[in-house]
Amino acid sequence: MKDLGIGLGITAVVAGLLWFLWSPSVVLPAVAFGILATLIHVAAVALLKSGLKRPFGILMWRWVMGMGLRLAGVALFAVAVYAAGDTFPAIPTAIGYVGVLLPLMWTEMRLIR
């Protein structure tokens, strides 16, 4: 639950910065893909946690599955930009996704210690 709160907080900061630096119209894609990044990260961490006490091969498989979820988020980004480019402009949508996902991935490092 801690990651969920951190992710939603980062989403709010990224959306606020885009609103201030870009325009209010880009807040929706930033928030949508920030929330998507947060949910993907929470799922990836849950997968990783379930493999920490298991053999190394299972741990690595869980880590790969988490990275696959993140890659699926990139695919969803591409589909959204292609299918609804007016609603999801490429750069603000990418900033919403990557701007939330990367800081959350840094928080994942505390699990491995």
Side-chain angles (χ1 to χ4, degrees):
M1 288 315 235
K2 184 178 181 181
D3 289 330
L4 183 63
I6 292 170
L8 294 176
I10 295 170
T11 299
V13 169
V14 168
L17 285 172
L18 283 173
W19 177 81
F20 181 72
L21 297 173
W22 203 298
S23 79
S25 65
V26 299
V27 170
L28 172 67
V31 168
F33 274 82
I35 291 172
L36 175 67
T38 300
L39 295 176
I40 285 173
H41 177 75
V42 168
V45 166
L47 284 169
L48 186 61
K49 279 183 181 178
S50 67
L52 285 176
K53 304 284 184 188
R54 300 201 176 156
F56 184 73
I58 293 173
L59 172 66
M60 289 310 298
W61 179 244
R62 301 289 174 127
W63 179 80
V64 167
M65 289 176 17
M67 288 297 147
L69 287 174
R70 292 174 176 108
L71 187 59
V74 173
L76 283 173
F77 159 78
V79 168
V81 169
Y82 180 74
D86 294 336
T87 305
F88 295 102
I91 294 175
T93 305
I95 291 171
Y97 184 69
V98 175
V100 174
L101 189 63
L102 287 180
L104 285 175
M105 287 178 71
W106 284 106
T107 67
E108 188 175 326
M109 298 306 277
R110 73 180 187 280
L111 291 175
I112 298 171
R113 285 196 241 158

